[in-house]
Amino acid sequence: MIYKTLGKTGLKVSIIGFGASPLGAEFGPVDPQESRRAVNYAIDHGINYFDVAPYYGRTLAETRLGEFLEGKRDKIILTSKACRYDITDFDYSAQRIIRSIEESLKRLRTDYVDLYQIHDVEYAKTEQVINEAIPAMLKLKQQGKVRLIGITGYPLTPLKEIAQTADVDTVLTYCRYNLMDTTMDDILTPVIRRKGIGLINASPLHMRVLTEKGAPHWHPAPEKVFKVAAQVAKLCRQHGTTISDLAMQFALAHRDVAITLVGTSKVRHVEANINIVGTQPDPDLLAQVLEMIKPVANICWKEGLPENDDPDAIDKRTLGMERNEDMQEEADR
Ligand code: NAD
């Protein structure tokens, strides 16, 4: 395993983080014994960073992770989140954050988390995050219930605005730096670099698009992205590798990212992701793949309040319509 320092925090983190959202069955049914083995395998092979949230499996992921980490808590860096509780259930008030940490600590069977994050800041007004949610998190920091505080989200604009103004230790963004989308570097990375904030890049597999299995049914990207990914997967196979290995190599090479956070509940995935650390992509294959992806690269969708939209973000309803049209075309053929 390779370790990096997380921004200015001094924490030494494994460059691969364990994303525990699949433990809450976010990507389909999960065998609890297999996911316990995956957590153990990760710890035994040097992964020290675990990310979870009450939202994942509507508390199921936290409950399972808490159970699996019993007796191992001191070996790892544990992070959870507040403010998002269901698809449309958000609460960024100080009161809820203070209640939320107690609930999470209980489920996680611990008395502190190393990092506590405001989950998906794009669903709040930026002023509320800066003036209410972050001060509440800082209070928890003073009380020792959380060691560090951070923000997470999909659109880069609010993450950038908050990171510029407020005192946060980390920023987590997802699906914005991988083979399909690299716009994190256009909007967010310069601020992160300037302020020495710890950068966490989640969803290096573009929420399963960049795998042999392909996207889950709820994935917001348009069908044309999935079609190109399937062609890339075939090309990778012909070159004796896999699309997920290439995607991990691409994401792990980013010099400003401290943690590449990949979601896993299976030992074979943890093993494959650990084995890729320290390896380089075949440059000819990577160049060919980036060329194939070009026509569908950097497509992003709207998430959160309209005032937090990124430039060029597409309405998910439009994407849904495009997908239906594509499916109709397919059926007509
Ligand atoms: P991801 O891109 O990491 O993809 C995860 C999917 O890929 C899972 O279905 C997993 O089984 C599969 N997979 C993992 N390794 C594989 C391999 N080697 N081969 C084939 N398939 C493999 O997407 P993600 O899980 O959404 O993101 C990673 C983590 O980041 C999450 O679990 C979560 O902890 C965090 N996250 C946070 C936010 C947020 O805070 N707003 C948003 C997204 C993700």
Side-chain angles (χ1 to χ4, degrees):
M1 184 52 62
I2 295 172
Y3 298 86
K4 277 189 173 181
T5 306
L6 183 62
K8 290 187 292 200
T9 70
L11 270 191
K12 292 278 179 221
V13 288
S14 50
I15 58 167
I16 290 195
F18 190 108
S21 75
L23 263 56
E26 292 289 344
F27 287 87
V30 175
D31 170 4
Q33 290 319 315
E34 172 66 3
S35 49
R36 181 193 285 276
R37 284 192 290 273
V39 167
N40 287 338
Y41 187 94
I43 296 174
D44 293 346
H45 291 80
I47 290 184
N48 71 357
Y49 187 89
F50 285 75
D51 174 276
V52 73
Y55 174 54
Y56 303 148
R58 317 304 170 257
T59 72
L60 178 63
E62 275 193 340
T63 303
R64 283 196 171 148
L65 190 61
E67 196 186 311
F68 300 164
L69 291 178
E70 195 126 53
K72 302 184 175 75
R73 171 68 186 93
D74 56 343
K75 291 188 181 163
I76 60 132
I77 295 161
L78 180 59
T79 163
S80 192
K81 312 188 187 94
C83 304
R84 180 164 203 173
Y85 303 99
D86 209 332
I87 291 174
T88 55
D89 183 7
F90 300 91
D91 190 341
Y92 298 83
S93 68
Q95 254 181 336
R96 184 68 185 97
I97 290 171
I98 284 159
R99 203 168 85 232
S100 203
I101 186 70
E102 299 303 335
E103 294 165 358
S104 287
L105 292 177
K106 200 164 173 202
R107 285 190 290 268
L108 291 167
R109 306 184 187 193
T110 183
D111 52 8
Y112 74 97
V113 289
D114 297 276
L115 170 66
Y116 203 40
Q117 300 163 97
I118 303 173
H119 201 167
D120 292 344
V121 292
E122 63 269 25
Y123 285 89
K125 290 196 169 294
T126 293
E127 304 82 68
Q128 190 186 9
V129 174
I130 294 172
N131 299 326
E132 182 172 358
I134 290 180
M137 305 284 267
L138 288 171
K139 208 174 268 177
L140 297 177
K141 204 174 174 179
Q142 280 167 2
Q143 292 169 357
K145 290 178 183 168
V146 318
R147 299 237 161 117
L148 304 165
I149 65 161
I151 51 173
T152 82
Y154 176 75
L156 299 158
T157 311
L159 290 172
K160 175 186 147 189
E161 279 173 21
I162 297 163
Q164 262 171 181
T165 322
D167 202 8
V168 291
D169 299 300
T170 63
V171 173
L172 177 158
T173 176
Y174 70 99
C175 290
R176 302 311 290 271
Y177 188 83
N178 60 44
L179 282 176
M180 280 294 170
D181 187 338
T182 56
T183 43
M184 177 182 88
D185 278 351
D186 303 329
I187 302 175
L188 184 65
T189 313
V191 182
I192 296 293
R193 210 178 276 159
R194 201 167 56 243
K195 289 196 72 178
I197 294 171
L199 182 57
I200 302 159
N201 178 32
S203 312
L205 303 176
H206 212 51
M207 301 194 297
R208 219 175 73 191
V209 170
L210 300 167
T211 71
E212 281 292 332
K213 200 166 182 182
H217 69 92
W218 47 258
H219 202 293
E223 195 68 21
K224 57 188 174 191
V225 168
F226 307 153
K227 279 186 184 159
V228 171
Q231 289 160 10
V232 170
K234 190 173 168 194
L235 183 70
C236 288
R237 248 178 277 135
Q238 286 163 351
H239 279 75
T241 185
T242 63
I243 183 172
S244 41
D245 279 2
L246 188 74
M248 288 302 294
Q249 286 170 324
F250 179 81
L252 286 166
H254 197 296
R255 72 182 176 97
D256 297 294
V257 170
I259 302 157
T260 296
L261 188 54
V262 57
T264 33
S265 62
K266 295 191 177 81
V267 174
R268 67 187 157 88
H269 290 159
V270 186
E271 189 182 4
N273 297 335
I274 289 175
N275 284 342
I276 216 67
V277 172
T279 67
Q280 302 303 319
D282 168 346
D284 294 335
L285 174 63
L286 180 60
Q288 244 179 296
V289 164
L290 292 174
E291 204 50 43
M292 280 168 86
I293 286 176
K294 230 181 215 166
V296 296
N298 301 337
I299 292 177
C300 70
W301 51 89
K302 293 184 179 184
E303 280 292 348
L305 305 184
E307 68 206 56
N308 290 327
D309 285 346
D310 277 339
D312 304 325
I314 303 169
D315 201 310
K316 278 198 263 186
R317 274 174 311 186
T318 320
L319 293 174
M321 267 152 32
E322 267 180 29
R323 186 173 304 183
N324 290 341
E325 278 165 21
D326 282 346
M327 283 158 86
Q328 190 55 49
E329 254 178 52
E330 200 88 335
D332 292 345
R333 250 184 253 146

